[in-house]
Coordinates of all heavy atoms in Angstrom, one line a residue:
C208 N 7.9 -27.7 115.8 CA 7.5 -27.8 117.2 C 7.5 -29.4 117.5 O 7.7 -29.8 118.6 CB 6.0 -27.4 117.5 SG 4.7 -28.3 116.7
G209 N 7.6 -30.2 116.4 CA 7.6 -31.6 116.5 C 6.1 -32.2 116.8 O 6.0 -33.4 117.1
G210 N 5.1 -31.4 116.8 CA 3.8 -31.9 116.7 C 2.9 -31.2 117.8 O 1.7 -31.0 117.7
D232 N -0.3 -29.3 117.0 CA -0.1 -28.7 115.6 C -0.7 -29.6 114.6 O 0.0 -30.1 113.6 CB 1.3 -28.5 115.5 CG 1.7 -27.5 114.2 OD1 0.6 -26.9 113.7 OD2 2.8 -27.3 113.8
C259 N 3.5 -30.1 110.8 CA 5.0 -30.1 110.5 C 5.5 -31.4 110.2 O 6.7 -31.6 110.1 CB 5.7 -29.4 111.7 SG 5.2 -30.0 113.3
C390 N 5.2 -22.4 114.6 CA 6.0 -23.5 114.1 C 6.1 -23.2 112.7 O 5.2 -23.4 111.9 CB 5.2 -24.8 114.4 SG 6.0 -26.3 113.5
G393 N 5.4 -26.1 110.4 CA 3.9 -26.3 110.4 C 3.1 -25.3 109.8 O 2.1 -25.5 109.0
Ligands
LIG2 ZN1 4.7 -28.0 114.4

Side-chain angles (χ1 to χ4, degrees):
C208 71
D232 196 9
C259 44
C390 165

